[in-house]
Amino acid sequence: MDLAAAPRTTTTPAAAQRAATLRIDSARLWQRLMALAAIGATPKGGVCRLALSELDGQGRALFVRWAEELGCSVRRDAIGNLFARREGLDPTRPAVATGSHIDTQPTGGKFDGNYGVLAGLEVLATLNDAGLRTHAPLEVCVWTNEEGSRFVPVMMGSGVYAGAFPLAHALAARDAEGISVQQALQALGEAGAAPAAVADGAPRFGAYFEAHIEQGPVLEDAGITIGVVSGALGQRWYDVTVNGMEAHAGPTPMRLRRDALLPAAALVQQVNAIALAEQPNARGTVGMLRVHPNSRNVIPGRVQFSVDFRHADEAGLARMEQGLRSAAAAHSRDGITIDITPVVHFPPQPFDEALRGAVADAARQLGHAQMALASGAGHDAVYVARTAPAAMIFVPCKDGISHNEIEDARPEHLQAGADVLLHAMLARAGVA
Ligand SMILES: [Zn+2]
C-alpha cells in the first residue's frame, strides 16, 4: 500500500464495505494471550507478573516486539506507560486509542488487563491483513502498575497520565523490599523520555476504548456476550471503631456490659441493608473486622471494621454515608462510642455517551447480545476518562471470578469483544 498517498477525508464505499465484514482472528488472539500468560505462569494455571518485576519486563518486551512486527512505533513515557502507534492518514487528528495493563496480582489470571492490550494489537493486525488505513492514528496502550499490589497507588500509570497524582509521587512509591518505582523502571530500562502527564504535554486521545473481562458474574448470569459499560461506580471507604469496655465474660452480668461487638454486628447488617436500598448500582461491604482483645472469655472492648460503599452517583454515596452515620448514632449510648473515619473517596466516573453508542452500535451490527452495566471495579479507562472521551467493553468471565489463578474466559466471548472493539475504533477513526 502507498502510505504516502494523499490523505482523503471521506471513506470510499468499497473500503466501508470491506471494513464492515472485518473480523479479528480469534486463534491468533488466543495464541498471544497464552504466550503472554506463559511469562510468570503459576502451577495452578494463573499468572504472577508483578508490576515492573523482571517478568513484567519480559512481558513488556514481548508486547513491544509484537507491536513492531505490526509496523508500529512504540513510545515510552516517564512512568513506563507504552504506546504502540499505527499512523493514520491525517496526522493532525488525535489518536483513537485502546489498551489496558499487563501486570497481574500475585495469584492473578491470564485475562485481566492482558485481554484489553492484546485485543488492541489484534485490531491492528486485522487492519494490516485487510490493508485498511484509518484517518486518525490508532494507539494501543500498556498502562504501568494497574494492579497496585507491588506499588501503591493502584492504576498508577493512567493516574499519572490523567493528573490524579503527581509523577514524582508515583516514582517515589516503594515496594515491601524498599525498591522505588523509579529504581524498578531504571533497572528494566522502562523509564521513557516522553512526558507522562497530559498536563506536561502527553498527547490527549480523540477517544479511548478499553476491553476487559467483566470480573463479575452479571453477563454470564444473564447469558449476554457484550457489556456496554455505563461508567465506574464511585467509592467511599471508611474505618469504623466501636469502643466499649473489656470485662470478664463470667462475672459481668448481661445488663452491665458494654460489649463493642454488638453495635458492630448491627452496623455490619446495616451496611448490607443500606446498599440493598440503593439498587441496582450500589454495593456495601464489610471485608475486615478486628475484635479486641479477641479472647473467648473476654467481652470485646473495641471492634474495628472497614466499610466499602460504591454507587453510580455522588448523591447516592452521600445517602449511604448518612445511613451509616445515623445507624452509628442510634447504636451509641453511655459507655459505647462509635467513630467513623473516611479513608478513600473515588468519585463516580460516567463514560462518554457517544463512545458508549459506538460500542452498542458495533455489538448490534455484529449480532451480539448486549446490556448496559456499571463497573464496580476501577480500571485505567476510569482515569483516562478525565482527559478524553472513554468507554469500556466487558465480556463474561467464568463464574465471574478474577484476581484468581482460576480466572477463565471463553475464546468466542474474547473474539466478540475484540470484534466490537475493532468496529467501535473504526467508527471513531474513520476508514480511509
Ligand atoms: Zn484489569
Side-chain angles (χ1 to χ4, degrees), residues 84-176:
R85 182 177 172 94
R86 185 180 193 263
E87 290 300 338
L89 289 181
D90 183 352
T92 66
R93 282 183 59 171
V96 170
T98 187
S100 196
H101 60 96
I102 63 169
D103 66 314
T104 75
Q105 291 284 329
T107 52
K110 302 182 189 79
F111 303 99
D112 177 1
N114 298 290
Y115 169 58
V117 169
L118 297 183
L121 282 187
E122 185 53 38
V123 165
L124 305 192
T126 302
L127 293 175
N128 280 5
D129 292 347
L132 280 176
R133 302 293 310 278
T134 53
H135 289 295
L138 304 181
E139 291 194 2
V140 179
C141 320
V142 174
W143 301 105
T144 297
N145 183 31
E146 191 272 352
E147 296 290 0
S149 84
R150 179 179 177 200
F151 298 107
V152 177
V154 322
M155 300 187 287
M156 182 178 274
S158 52
V160 168
Y161 173 79
F165 36 83
L167 171 65
H169 173 72
L171 290 175
R174 289 180 189 274
D175 69 6

Side-chain angles (χ1 to χ4, degrees), residues 11-23 130 132 365 423 426 431-432:
T11 304
T12 63
Q17 210 170 21
R18 215 146 36 91
T21 62
L22 277 190
R23 298 292 181 273
L132 280 176
Q365 283 155 19
H423 288 282
L426 284 179
V431 177

Side-chain angles (χ1 to χ4, degrees), residues 80-389:
N81 295 323
L82 302 172
F83 304 87
R85 182 177 172 94
R86 185 180 193 263
E87 290 300 338
L89 289 181
D90 183 352
T92 66
R93 282 183 59 171
V96 170
T98 187
S100 196
H101 60 96
I102 63 169
D103 66 314
T104 75
Q105 291 284 329
T107 52
K110 302 182 189 79
F111 303 99
D112 177 1
N114 298 290
Y115 169 58
V117 169
L118 297 183
L121 282 187
E122 185 53 38
V123 165
L124 305 192
T126 302
L127 293 175
N128 280 5
D129 292 347
L132 280 176
R133 302 293 310 278
T134 53
H135 289 295
L138 304 181
E139 291 194 2
V140 179
C141 320
V142 174
W143 301 105
T144 297
N145 183 31
E146 191 272 352
E147 296 290 0
S149 84
R150 179 179 177 200
F151 298 107
V152 177
V154 322
M155 300 187 287
M156 182 178 274
S158 52
V160 168
Y161 173 79
F165 36 83
L167 171 65
H169 173 72
L171 290 175
R174 289 180 189 274
D175 69 6
E177 257 111 67
I179 299 168
S180 70
V181 167
Q182 179 147 35
Q183 289 165 335
L185 281 168
Q186 276 161 358
L188 291 177
E190 292 288 325
V198 168
D200 295 333
R204 272 179 208 273
F205 304 125
Y208 177 81
F209 294 96
E210 183 167 343
H212 208 284
I213 57 167
E214 183 200 338
Q215 301 184 284
V218 176
L219 291 173
E220 188 181 65
D221 181 60
I224 284 176
T225 309
I226 298 295
V228 183
V229 186
S230 53
L233 301 183
Q235 306 182 27
R236 290 196 193 183
W237 299 356
Y238 306 87
D239 284 338
V240 181
T241 305
V242 182
N243 293 295
M245 179 61 74
E246 275 167 47
H248 197 304
T252 318
M254 300 308 284
R255 67 182 178 85
L256 296 178
R257 295 177 175 215
R258 291 185 233 151
D259 184 341
L261 186 54
L262 293 176
L267 291 178
V268 170
Q269 294 282 348
Q270 200 55 35
V271 164
N272 192 62
I274 288 166
L276 282 173
E278 294 276 349
Q279 290 308 296
N281 284 327
R283 323 263 192 264
T285 307
V286 175
M288 215 169 72
L289 188 131
R290 266 199 298 266
V291 178
H292 189 80
N294 209 30
S295 171
R296 70 172 67 239
N297 49 13
V298 179
I299 298 162
R302 189 172 73 248
V303 177
Q304 292 164 294
F305 60 95
S306 60
V307 173
D308 175 327
F309 280 146
R310 304 188 185 210
H311 200 293
D313 64 71
E314 203 59 73
L317 282 172
R319 280 193 302 275
M320 294 176 88
E321 173 169 333
Q322 194 44 52
L324 179 65
R325 290 193 183 280
S326 316
H331 288 280
S332 301
R333 60 181 172 88
D334 199 22
I336 295 275
T337 61
I338 304 176
D339 297 323
I340 300 174
T341 310
V343 287
V344 163
H345 181 192
F346 277 114
Q349 178 65 59
F351 285 137
D352 182 75
E353 208 176 318
L355 263 58
R356 277 152 51 195
V359 171
D361 287 348
R364 197 173 307 115
Q365 283 155 19
L366 291 159
H368 297 306
Q370 61 174 285
M371 67 184 286
L373 81 173
S375 172
H379 292 288
D380 293 308
V382 178
Y383 277 148
V384 178
R386 296 184 182 183
T387 67

